[in-house]
Structure formats: C-alpha cells, structure tokens
Amino acid sequence: MKNIFVVFLFVLLLMACEKSETIDPETYSCSFNFTDNSANHPKAQQYQATVNEIVSKGTVGIMMSVYHPNSGQWLGAAGKADINNNIAMQPCMTSRMGSTIKMFTATVTMLLYQEHKINLDEKISNYLKASYIHKIRNAETATIRQLLQHSSGIYNYIQNPKFQTASMNDLKREWRAGDLLPYAYHQPAYFAAGTDVRYSNTNYILLGLLIEQIEGQPLHEVFEKRIFNPLGMTKSLFAAKNPVPNNIARGYIDLYSNFKIIESTYFSGWDYYTADGGLISNPYDMSLFFRKLINGEIISQPLLNEMLTWKTPKEQDADFFPIAYGLGIFKMTTAKGDVYFHSGDAIGYYANMMYIPSSKSVIVYAVNSNYGKLDEWVSTKKAIEKILESTWE
C-alpha cells in the first residue's frame, strides 16, 4: 500500500546533490539455482513486450514473474538496475519490496497461532510491554486479529506530518520501532476497534514486536528461520540484516514530475528494522512464497481460510479497485475477476504480488523507480489493469 510523504523544497535541493557510486559490474552478477526456461515459454514475447513498454514510459527498471499452473513460469526484466554504472536489470537481481513484507509478517503470526503460542483474539496489550501500548489509542483494546486485518483503528504513524518532516530532514537516518511509534502517540484513533478497516503501518510495527518477543530473536532471524530458508528463498532477506546490499538495484525517484530522476537508494531508513516494511527480494522468490502460502504448504488450510476472511471498508478509494481486507492480504475486484494481493513501496521502489484464484496464477513485479509521473505506469489502477490484461489466463 502506498506510503504517504510530504516533499519539501529544501530537501529536494539536498537530494539533487547526491552523487551516485561507482560500483564494479561484477557486484551485480547473479543467477538462479535452477534452469530458467523463460525463453521457451509460449508467451515469452508477449510478457517481455509488457515490461519493455513499462520501461519505455519512463520506469528505470523492472523485474517480473508470471506463473500459470498450465504454462509454467516466465521470468523477465527490462531497463536498468543502475544508471550510473550502466547495469541492465536482470530477473535474478534484488530490490526493495516495501509493505509486501506485511503478508510475511502476517504469515509468521499465523504460524505462532498454529503452534498455540498466541491467541489471535486476545488483546495485543496482553503480550507487549505497557511502554509500547499505553500512549497509542486503541492499542490497549485491539486484538492481534484486528491488527492483522487493519481493523484496530490505530493511527498510522506515517501520516503524522511531524514524522514526514523528520524523515525528510534526515533521509539516511535508520529508524527503529522505538523511534517510529512515538509518532502514533496520543493521536486520535480512526474508529473503535473492530468497527471498520483502515490501513495502518503502526499495526505491523506492533506485530513485529510481538513476533520478536514470542520467538526471542530479532525479526531478520525469525524470517530466515520461518520463511526464507524453509522455502528456498535464496534471494530474500530482511533489511535489518543488511540494510543496503551492494548488489541491490539502485532506487530512483521522479520528485519534480518531469522524468528528471534522482537516485534514492539510501533514503528508506525508516523501513529497515520494523515489520511494516524492510523486505529485500525479487519476483521469483515472492511468487514462490505466495504459491506455497495459498497451497497450504506454510500454514494449515483452516488458518489460511482465516487469512482470506474479508472485511470491506466503509469508504473505498475512488481511484483504485474496490478492495477488501484479510489478515495481511487484500482482495481487489477487477473487471476480470478477484485478485488477492499486497503491494508495497519505498523511496525509489515499488512492488506488487498478485494471485488470481480463478486460474491459480501468480504475477509479481518490482520496479526500482517511483513517484511523480512514474507511478502512472506501475502502481495506479490503470497500470495494474494493463499488467493483468497482458498476463491473465
């Protein structure tokens, strides 16, 4: 889901002075640990044309995975991973996936529930220290399930103008949960817990603290142990382990809405250490995760059914598809049919992972440029419709 930022002119001037690094092209060398037959896929040309067109509209680089049970998987890329060093984007590279981590956070929470370590219908305040809870309205009464479903009514810290100002004044600052939660302190709740749904990153910061407390390990170790290693997600890591890997695709932003992009690789420090963001991955790994989750290979089918129990917001975004909220997953109603999804962005990055229940297909794409005029072709309703039109079976 889209993070909300206010852009200040004096910050833009500072950002414009940022210099790109000289990086050895060998640093970006990558491959898959399996034979990739994408070139022989029956729709390889069609899918490649789709990513090529997105780049032609101004996107710096894109990776995409298209999986259909009947025709198999196609992996492709277009554009640049690094403009300064003239590095072409490859499908085996990694990028920031932003809030898509929330589906992983929800899945780990469901695993703890499956193991009887927590109860989804107990209050989060029964598990976390009062210092995390008592200054956040609704946090003392909201349940774990309500946090997962964004039905807690808890204020979204990212929407606090004071946070936006602080973040923009120090774009390379690395934030921890204890730095971010105060921006939700004493802010009005959106509604009484359980009465509506509204997206809030604060919910998932609290869930991340819950996971760390129950498991007795930092989040990056929990995700490795619970998700990445068992599923063979060799290109994935939680940013806290290595916030800016040398081989990550460079990020770019169109702040002036004129296609004069600025590199922003180091500007997502609020997103490294908390469970509302911080995933570094690529479309293949994310497609693998989504397929195994939906197939009941990570959590049991009854618990998956709970994740896919939908709650519709009282107000919808007129500029997007009608959506419904599950537990760490969303459903959008498109002209072609329902799509389960979670998107995410950071400064200079956007990703979207989509599952089509009618065909059991998974489409995942990630770009290393956003904001301004770039968003029109990667994250809007029109952009998603075009991608679904070219990949739907």
Side-chain angles (χ1 to χ4, degrees), residues 264-327:
S264 60
T265 306
Y266 292 90
F267 295 162
S268 294
W270 89 94
D271 218 13
Y272 295 161
Y273 296 97
T274 53
D276 59 327
L279 176 63
I280 296 172
S281 187
N282 68 13
Y284 171 77
D285 271 14
M286 293 173 68
S287 175
L288 180 66
F289 164 76
F290 213 162
R291 297 199 313 267
K292 288 186 176 293
L293 176 64
I294 291 294
N295 289 339
E297 296 179 48
I298 305 177
I299 61 173
S300 68
Q301 188 63 49
L303 294 194
L304 177 62
N305 293 341
E306 290 193 48
M307 291 185 76
L308 302 179
T309 299
W310 310 107
K311 191 176 182 70
T312 303
K314 293 178 181 177
E315 295 184 7
Q316 294 278 1
D317 181 353
D319 295 325
F320 200 68
F321 303 96
I323 67 170
Y325 290 59
L327 306 185

Side-chain angles (χ1 to χ4, degrees), residues 90-138:
Q90 302 174 59
C92 54
M93 288 178 168
T94 61
S95 184
R96 296 200 187 283
M97 303 296 176
S99 287
T100 61
I101 192 68
K102 290 184 175 69
M103 195 187 298
F104 294 76
T105 301
T107 301
V108 171
T109 304
M110 298 302 286
L111 282 170
L112 298 181
Y113 177 45
Q114 182 169 276
E115 295 165 1
H116 307 291
K117 294 180 178 179
I118 60 172
N119 186 329
L120 295 189
D121 296 307
E122 284 188 15
K123 299 173 183 177
I124 189 73
S125 58
N126 290 351
Y127 295 90
L128 296 184
K129 295 185 293 186
S131 59
Y132 290 132
I133 297 294
H134 73 280
K135 294 180 183 179
I136 301 176
R137 294 178 184 174
N138 280 19

